[in-house]
Amino acid sequence: MMPKGAKYYWLCQICGWTFVTLSMLFFAYTFSPQKINTNFFIRLFLIFSAGIFTTHIFRIFIQRSQWLLLPVERVIPRMIIGIVVTSLACSLLYMGLVEALDVQSESPRRIEFSTRLLASTLDIGLFIIPWALIYYSYHYINKSRKQEVDTLKLEALVKELELKTIKAHINPHFIFNALNSIRALIDENPGRARTAITELSNILRSSMQSEKSETVPLEKELNIVRDYLALEHIRFEDRLKVEYDVDDDTLNQPVPPMMLQTLVENAIKHGIGRQMSGGVVRIISDFKDDYHELMVQNTGRLNGQVNGDGFGISSTRNRLQLLFGDKADFSIREANGNLVEARVKIPVSLP
């Protein structure tokens, strides 16, 4: 069975050279109707056959020489030479067949062979040039589109792999810290430790489910954070105070899974954990302009560097960039002298 592309090629070949012969017939009928006879139609058929044959050979040569893979500036001189050679070959083939079949046009005088060859080559070249331009332009555009699609597929694959890599780092990081909190309880309060293990299992279950999507509703993310803070409260006791200022309308807004938990974990590790008297972790969620603004504030100082400028912060930036591009923003700063604020701005997702 002939491939689909080959069918279109032969259809274009036949239609194109049929148009050439019909154009010749039209001009002959308009300007020299007395020359239209049996020999004239035979010559038209010879032009048709020679044109298809020589351009098909030209096509094979282009493909085997891989001209279509070359830059345009390197193809142009090759294509010019190819057009000249193909026009000359088509003219020689046509004139040879005309001589062999003895179907020359009647002429009052015999024109020299070289002159007839040059005139025939120029005439046929007028049809080979558009053939070459159409053929190369089609494949050039087709190649460009294919490269664009391949590039988009590659970018999507890279994005997917990067997101999975980031997630693979986040979950073990979180589990390690949560297990440390539980371990501290085993000897002091076994009953609370058992409760903490149940809370951890709830977090892990939610975390595993979040791997199935690139974003989750804020409400689901807050449930994970509440369980996490409950575990951390066991370790810090009265040193850790938690405050929520969450607009209910933001609960359905999509956020990257485990992102808020990572920021809260960072606030405790680099903020509350370094304060002898502990401090507060405040979670704020609200709309501002056309953005969903999510903030995590904690007692502490930056000490001249970005608070927790490690995997937690860098992964947050990377995930926002991968999912939302330049439309999202992340910043972390010191406010009021003893308060660190991590702020995430995500474009509002309309229901």
Side-chain angles (χ1 to χ4, degrees):
M1 185 176 178
M2 186 180 295
K4 187 176 181 180
K7 288 182 179 179
Y8 286 143
Y9 163 74
W10 284 111
L11 179 62
C12 290
Q13 276 280 66
I14 293 171
C15 291
W17 285 103
T18 299
F19 174 78
V20 170
T21 56
L22 290 177
S23 298
M24 290 180 173
L25 178 61
F26 171 78
F27 283 109
Y29 181 81
T30 302
F31 300 104
S32 304
Q34 69 279 4
K35 293 184 179 180
I36 299 177
N37 51 32
T38 303
N39 286 350
F40 175 79
F41 284 103
I42 294 176
R43 290 196 300 274
L44 287 182
F45 177 75
L46 294 179
I47 282 286
F48 176 86
S49 303
I52 286 184
F53 177 77
T54 52
T55 51
H56 182 64
I57 297 299
F58 187 26
R59 171 180 179 261
I60 293 174
F61 181 81
I62 290 174
Q63 291 179 335
R64 292 186 177 179
S65 301
Q66 297 184 337
W67 288 5
L68 299 175
L69 301 179
L70 298 175
V72 176
E73 61 271 13
R74 295 181 61 186
V75 172
I76 292 176
R78 289 174 169 82
M79 194 64 73
I80 292 174
I81 296 173
I83 291 172
V84 172
V85 172
T86 303
S87 300
L88 181 60
C90 184
S91 182
L92 286 171
L93 178 60
Y94 167 71
M95 291 177 63
L97 292 173
V98 168
E99 292 286 344
L101 297 176
D102 193 23
V103 290
Q104 299 93 338
S105 59
E106 297 178 2
S107 179
R109 59 187 181 86
R110 193 71 174 175
I111 303 175
E112 292 185 4
F113 175 80
S114 59
T115 304
R116 288 188 291 125
L117 177 62
L118 177 60
S120 178
T121 301
L122 292 175
D123 288 341
I124 292 175
L126 295 177
F127 302 111
I128 301 295
I129 290 174
W131 182 96
L133 290 175
I134 293 172
Y135 180 80
Y136 179 75
S137 299
Y138 169 79
H139 284 281
Y140 179 81
I141 294 172
N142 195 43
K143 182 184 71 172
S144 299
R145 288 179 177 175
K146 186 176 183 301
Q147 288 178 341
E148 184 177 352
V149 172
D150 290 342
T151 300
L152 291 174
K153 288 182 178 179
L154 181 60
E155 289 177 352
L157 178 60
V158 170
K159 178 178 177 180
E160 180 181 356
L161 290 175
E162 287 180 345
L163 284 172
K164 288 183 177 179
T165 300
I166 290 171
K167 287 181 179 181
H169 281 82
I170 288 176
N171 289 337
H173 185 63
F174 158 69
I175 295 170
F176 176 78
N177 286 279
L179 287 175
N180 275 341
S181 299
I182 295 174
R183 184 178 62 181
L185 281 177
I186 292 177
D187 295 329
E188 298 177 5
N189 191 339
R192 186 65 185 92
R194 287 192 294 271
T195 302
I197 291 174
T198 301
E199 291 170 344
L200 178 58
S201 67
N202 292 335
I203 297 172
L204 293 177
R205 186 182 303 110
S206 298
S207 176
M208 292 175 65
Q209 292 175 351
S210 72
E211 294 291 333
K212 299 178 182 179
S213 59
E214 306 304 344
T215 61
V216 295
L218 174 63
E219 184 175 15
K220 187 173 183 179
E221 183 76 356
L222 279 173
N223 291 335
I224 297 176
V225 169
R226 287 191 176 97
D227 285 335
Y228 171 77
L229 288 173
L231 289 172
E232 291 291 61
H233 193 271
I234 297 171
R235 182 157 62 100
F236 289 97
E237 297 179 340
D238 293 338
R239 292 174 58 207
L240 173 61
K241 295 181 177 60
V242 180
E243 297 177 1
Y244 294 93
D245 183 6
V246 178
D247 186 336
D248 290 342
D249 292 336
T250 66
L251 293 177
N252 290 326
Q253 290 298 304
V255 296
M258 304 302 292
M259 183 193 71
L260 179 59
Q261 186 276 330
T262 301
L263 295 177
V264 171
E265 179 182 348
N266 186 73
I268 290 178
K269 180 179 178 181
H270 299 280
I272 307 304
R274 296 183 179 182
Q275 305 294 314
M276 293 296 296
S277 59
V280 62
V281 172
R282 185 177 298 110
I283 299 172
I284 303 171
S285 177
D286 203 353
F287 293 117
K288 187 174 181 180
D289 298 328
D290 294 328
Y291 289 91
H292 172 207
E293 193 170 71
L294 191 59
M295 288 185 287
V296 176
Q297 299 175 339
N298 66 271
T299 304
R301 299 180 67 89
L302 291 178
N303 297 322
Q305 61 181 0
V306 174
N307 189 26
D309 190 13
F311 182 80
I313 299 302
S314 62
S315 69
T316 299
R317 288 196 176 99
N318 291 338
R319 298 177 77 188
L320 290 171
Q321 176 65 32
L322 288 169
L323 290 171
F324 304 104
D326 295 333
K327 296 180 180 179
D329 181 62
F330 173 75
S331 62
I332 186 166
R333 68 187 184 93
E334 187 176 299
N336 300 328
N338 194 38
L339 187 69
V340 175
E341 179 183 272
R343 183 192 303 261
V344 175
K345 294 176 67 177
I346 299 175
V348 172
S349 177
L350 299 177

